[in-house]
Amino acid sequence: MAKHSLSTLEAFLIFLLVMMTAVTVALLSLLFITSGTIENHKDSGVPVTQSPPTTPGSTATQGSTLTHGSTATQGPPVTTTPEPPLFQNFSGYHIGVGRADCTGQVADISLMGYSKTGQNARGILTRLYSRAFIMAEPDGSNRVAFVSIDIGMVSQRLRLEVLNRLQSKYGSLYRQDNVILSGTHTHSGPGGYFQYTVFVIASEGFSNRTFEYMVTGIVKSIEMAHKNMKPGKIFINKGNVEGVQINRSPSSYLWNPPSERARYSSNTDKEMIILKMVDLNGVDLGLISWFAIHPVSMNNTNHLVNSDNMGYASYLFEQEKNKGYLPGQGPYVAAFASSNLGDVSPNILGPHCVNTGDSCDNANSSCPIGGSSTCIAMGPGHDMFNSTQIIGGIIYQRAKAQTCKPALGYSFAAGTIDGFGSLNFTQGTTVGDPFWDTLRDQLLGKPSEEIKRCHKPKPILLHTGELTKPHPWHPDIVDVQMITVGSLAIIAIPGEFTTMSGRRLREAVQAEFATYGMQNTTAVISGLCNVYTHYITTFEEYQAQRYEAASTIYGPHTLSAYIQLFRALAKAIATDTVANLSRGPEPPYFKQLIASLIPNIVDRAPLGRNFGDVLQPAKPTYRVGEVAEVIFVGANPKNSAENQTHQTFLTVEKYEATSATWRIVHNDASWETRFYWHKGLLGHSNATIQWHIPGTAQPGIYRMRYFGHHRKQDFLKPAVILPFESTSSAFEVVTS
């Protein structure tokens, strides 16, 4: 065969193809930049008010299914097998609460939320928890389980696996129609637990290690709540929270009708709704709080796994109620769940150009110099840790008192002022770009005329609803679910509703209940439940095509379709015809998924060293307010998500002279501690443990301990995960 040399044109075309492929991969990694433009408001606090306990006997649930093309389908009713009641002849409910660790990997995995290239986990600030609440009528006839989870969002695969395991243990007691799984939407939790291609790519592959850790934690929290059930009463609290949120897309909000906007005093929902649970002796058991705010106080420069502002509110409340317990322990459970947070930001200082200080609160969230990459919104604190504490602390204090096939528009890649995109997209884009359209057409095929017409005025960047390789890129079977507990209706939404979308949905549901005799129903939106479908804007906001609208993947009439379905559920509950509703088609559970793009490698200690050896010791003495720090020879923390010999990466311990023992005062779930992992070459790494010594620390002798696991693999043998631990030298803490 004659030797063929490449012409200049052929070489150029090959180079262009390689570059196009690389750019496409980068483009696909931008699918979850979840924040937006905002404006300033001056706020003041208003106390929370409390209503009488809800009446028992009104718990009802139902799940339905939304498919693209405006079709709503429902299936045969599910037969329940109630357990024998614990107690009878009392006025109230059976109530159970439970909390379990669901942190997953804290290294070598993408953080889910901003989709910023290179924002992988490198340690831990706080643990992530699943908090479960079970409420049942005295005779066991009606039962619901609500679970708030410190993760970005609930994936359909996660929910299906949890339900499968619950069915294996409890039969028909916990089912698709009476279990709600809701993500808090922290942007600092691990990804890797999705099955649809868009999410898998954004997570840099599927991580079975993290998936199993999360499923196990969620199921365990439900099991704990089930075992802890006791007679009790439920109260509904309401009140406004001021000074913690602003609308990040005010220009989109202004597209809503003036007459509708005039009915509200703010372009964000400020009302917090709380479900408070006590036993028959009045002892507090737990609470669920719903409030609309994005957990993005921790920005996209963060690499520590944590639960952000809503998790910090839970941390404060549980620490107060569970005195004497370490974080994550104790009987009281407090969940701060997500609501209609789609266009709501905690970064209340607003968007400013970082290079000039000028405001960039405009329709494109862009600066004259640097474009969208220099337009950033900031929180009230001196850094993101402090902002998280301020916002979470205020929330805690207030709590104490026809749809289209899925498609993403151009503005989703533009990013937002909380986490900007990396390419040359801007928000508010309503026309396509020839370069990106050509690139898309060559690599993924052209979008159909049908999907382009359906999504107008959105220009289609990725026609995900028509992409099916290696699996569908977005779900086309979506659960819609509502449960009632007394006079409270919990609307489980599978995405991020904007402020006005949430208001319209709540009003429609409450009006439907009132039509059929339930005039005093309080409807609350519980966000990011059961499956993730990005954003839901109003039809008017959709026309602006900012980030939230471009990420409304089922088209401009998505909200109308949801309202229609939830009104049907409300009617069925109010008229006691839930049994006549049908389940609809079952979503798929894909077998083969794209594996994690980050390989597992053997851990190695430096020559002459062992895992856990101290490289930088603690100083002999620290003052209150200083940071105690020790550096150890480390190993990859993701090993600890596989072999859970240790339940924490660190402890801070105080020496008790009277008993000659060391008492644990902090673990890695404590806000005062930080665990950093520094990845080196060829399996080498270091671990840094910090203790930010609080003003409440008692003078005395302390030490820090490190717990880890290292991966070992001998020649021609399978890898094994082995535990190790280490202890720092003792040091003294003084007050002055």
Side-chain angles (χ1 to χ4, degrees):
M1 181 180 295
K3 183 177 180 180
H4 174 70
S5 60
L6 294 176
S7 68
T8 302
L9 177 60
E10 289 173 322
F12 173 75
L13 291 175
I14 292 174
F15 171 77
L16 181 62
L17 179 60
V18 172
M19 292 301 295
M20 290 169 64
T21 303
V23 171
T24 301
V25 172
L27 174 66
L28 293 175
S29 72
L30 299 173
L31 296 172
F32 288 100
I33 307 166
T34 52
S35 305
T37 306
I38 53 182
E39 64 184 12
N40 276 310
H41 292 277
K42 295 182 179 178
D43 304 312
S44 58
V46 175
V48 174
T49 59
Q50 178 170 301
S51 71
T54 62
T55 56
S58 57
T59 303
T61 68
Q62 178 59 34
S64 185
T65 304
L66 173 70
T67 60
H68 66 250
S70 235
T71 305
T73 58
Q74 299 164 331
V78 177
T79 303
T80 63
T81 307
E83 286 193 337
L86 298 173
F87 297 92
Q88 293 189 10
N89 301 320
F90 73 93
S91 176
Y93 290 96
H94 288 311
I95 303 167
V97 300
R99 176 186 53 249
D101 180 13
C102 64
T103 305
Q105 285 179 230
V106 301
D108 270 0
I109 195 166
S110 295
L111 296 180
M112 192 65 192
Y114 292 109
S115 193
K116 179 183 177 183
T117 302
Q119 194 190 8
N120 291 341
R122 300 177 191 169
I124 185 170
L125 174 60
T126 63
R127 292 242 154 212
L128 308 181
Y129 291 102
S130 173
R131 295 175 171 90
F133 304 82
I134 298 175
M135 293 155 279
E137 294 186 12
D139 62 359
S141 59
N142 285 324
R143 175 182 300 242
V144 298
F146 179 87
V147 188
S148 178
I149 314 160
D150 290 333
I151 56 177
M153 60 282 292
V154 174
S155 75
Q156 193 172 72
R157 186 181 190 86
L158 198 66
R159 184 174 193 239
L160 291 172
E161 185 61 26
V162 167
L163 291 174
N164 285 338
R165 297 191 188 185
L166 291 175
Q167 183 182 35
S168 297
K169 184 164 186 174
Y170 298 106
S172 61
L173 195 61
Y174 300 107
R175 314 172 303 276
Q176 179 187 19
D177 62 314
N178 71 349
V179 175
I180 292 178
L181 305 183
S182 174
T184 63
H185 204 39
T186 174
H187 285 40
S188 296
Y193 55 96
F194 300 84
Q195 68 174 4
Y196 290 98
T197 302
V198 158
F199 310 114
V200 173
I201 292 174
S203 300
E204 298 183 7
F206 177 76
S207 170
N208 192 64
R209 181 188 293 110
T210 288
F211 179 76
E212 284 294 325
Y213 200 116
M214 288 181 174
V215 170
T216 300
I218 295 168
V219 172
K220 183 178 179 180
S221 69
I222 297 172
E223 292 172 347
M224 293 173 68
H226 178 86
K227 292 178 182 178
N228 291 336
M229 292 185 74
K230 62 176 64 176
K233 294 182 180 293
I234 299 173
F235 296 82
I236 299 176
N237 294 356
K238 298 180 184 179
N240 286 353
V241 183
E242 304 283 351
V244 298
Q245 45 163 216
I246 51 178
N247 193 304
R248 67 187 191 182
S249 287
S251 58
S252 292
Y253 183 88
L254 292 175
W255 280 70
N256 293 304
S259 58
E260 184 178 31
R261 288 188 276 114
R263 293 161 48 200
Y264 304 99
S265 61
S266 172
N267 59 6
T268 62
D269 269 345
K270 298 181 180 296
E271 186 176 67
M272 173 188 288
I273 294 180
I274 295 175
L275 208 61
K276 176 184 176 182
M277 288 152 271
V278 302
D279 68 15
L280 293 183
N281 295 318
V283 176
D284 289 339
L285 300 176
L287 70 81
I288 310 171
S289 165
W290 288 274
F291 182 64
I293 192 169
H294 250 86
V296 291
S297 292
M298 298 294 292
N299 61 44
N300 66 7
T301 66
N302 170 59
H303 291 278
L304 298 180
V305 168
N306 69 87
S307 52
D308 212 282
N309 47 42
M310 296 295 263
Y312 186 67
S314 290
Y315 170 84
L316 291 176
F317 216 118
E318 290 177 347
Q319 285 295 95
E320 178 191 332
K321 294 291 186 179
N322 296 320
K323 293 188 184 299
Y325 288 91
L326 290 171
Q329 300 176 10
Y332 188 87
V333 180
F336 284 75
S338 59
S339 191
N340 54 318
L341 48 65
D343 53 359
V344 184
S345 171
N347 295 317
I348 58 177
L349 298 187
H352 291 81
C353 300
V354 294
N355 47 7
T356 66
D358 296 332
S359 173
C360 50
D361 189 3
N362 53 60
N364 296 323
S365 297
S366 182
C367 296
I369 302 174
S372 60
S373 66
T374 57
C375 180
I376 305 294
M378 305 299 291
H382 57 77
D383 61 20
M384 59 183 172
F385 298 95
N386 188 227
S387 290
T388 301
Q389 291 179 288
I390 292 172
I391 297 297
I394 294 174
I395 293 171
Y396 152 71
Q397 288 290 348
R398 296 298 185 270
K400 187 174 175 183
Q402 180 205 29
T403 66
C404 306
K405 295 177 182 177
L408 290 168
Y410 276 83
S411 293
F412 89 86
T416 63
I417 44 76
D418 291 324
F420 57 85
S422 301
L423 301 176
N424 63 331
F425 296 101
T426 58
Q427 298 203 57
T429 301
T430 57
V431 295
D433 181 277
F435 173 79
W436 295 109
D437 288 351
T438 301
L439 185 62
R440 175 204 61 209
D441 295 347
Q442 293 298 317
L443 294 176
L444 302 174
K446 295 182 178 181
S448 68
E449 290 301 318
E450 172 195 358
I451 199 170
K452 288 194 287 186
R453 284 195 305 270
C454 188
H455 280 273
K456 282 185 177 180
K458 178 197 297 180
I460 304 301
L461 178 59
L462 293 175
H463 47 304
T464 55
E466 296 178 331
L467 301 176
T468 59
K469 302 294 184 182
H471 296 295
W473 285 42
H474 269 139
D476 57 4
I477 299 175
V478 178
D479 290 301
V480 293
Q481 183 181 21
M482 184 190 305
I483 63 175
T484 59
V485 180
S487 60
L488 180 69
I490 303 174
I491 308 169
I493 58 173
E496 303 178 53
F497 274 52
T498 62
T499 297
M500 194 63 84
S501 291
R503 287 167 172 168
R504 290 185 188 179
L505 177 60
R506 280 199 309 267
E507 289 184 356
V509 167
Q510 289 176 163
E512 195 73 16
F513 276 118
T515 298
Y516 294 95
M518 296 176 64
Q519 284 85 0
N520 297 319
T521 298
T522 297
V524 62
I525 288 177
S526 186
L528 299 124
C529 293
N530 302 330
V531 61
Y532 186 61
T533 61
H534 295 267
Y535 286 76
I536 299 91
T537 65
T538 67
F539 176 83
E540 294 83 359
E541 291 167 344
Y542 190 88
Q543 310 309 307
Q545 278 303 296
R546 280 183 55 81
Y547 172 74
E548 295 84 6
S551 300
T552 299
I553 61 174
Y554 296 109
H557 302 291
T558 301
L559 176 60
S560 297
Y562 276 121
I563 289 175
Q564 178 182 352
L565 289 169
F566 280 112
R567 287 182 63 181
L569 294 182
K571 177 181 178 181
I573 292 172
T575 59
D576 197 21
T577 57
V578 171
N580 297 335
L581 296 173
S582 56
R583 290 173 54 119
E586 292 293 329
Y589 190 92
F590 302 130
K591 300 284 187 179
Q592 301 295 326
L593 298 174
I594 300 173
S596 173
L597 303 181
I598 303 176
N600 295 319
I601 63 173
V602 173
D603 294 291
R604 292 182 173 87
L607 188 63
R609 296 279 195 174
N610 296 313
F611 293 106
D613 281 358
V614 174
L615 297 175
Q616 176 186 302
K619 296 189 300 185
T621 305
Y622 293 94
R623 298 182 185 279
V624 167
E626 293 183 333
V627 179
E629 179 178 283
V630 181
I631 301 178
F632 300 87
V633 174
N636 197 319
K638 74 178 178 183
N639 301 326
S640 298
E642 198 168 321
N643 182 338
Q644 299 178 37
T645 308
H646 307 303
Q647 301 304 310
T648 181
F649 288 104
L650 65 91
T651 57
V652 177
E653 301 175 0
K654 184 178 185 294
Y655 184 72
E656 302 292 351
T658 55
S659 59
T661 59
W662 291 91
R663 177 174 60 89
I664 299 175
V665 294
H666 297 291
N667 57 16
D668 66 7
S670 302
W671 184 261
E672 293 83 359
T673 62
R674 299 176 192 177
F675 175 81
Y676 294 92
W677 180 62
H678 311 281
K679 185 176 185 178
L681 299 175
L682 302 176
H684 294 277
S685 65
N686 295 339
T688 299
I689 294 177
Q690 291 182 349
W691 177 32
H692 293 245
I693 304 172
T696 56
Q698 295 296 314
I701 305 300
Y702 291 83
R703 69 182 185 183
M704 292 190 286
R705 302 187 69 196
Y706 169 35
F707 303 90
H709 296 83
H710 68 94
R711 178 179 294 273
K712 178 182 179 182
Q713 185 166 20
D714 294 328
F715 185 65
L716 297 179
K717 291 185 178 180
V720 293
I721 307 296
L722 302 174
F724 66 89
E725 57 186 78
S726 182
T727 305
S728 76
S729 58
F731 55 89
E732 185 179 10
V733 172
V734 298
T735 56
S736 61

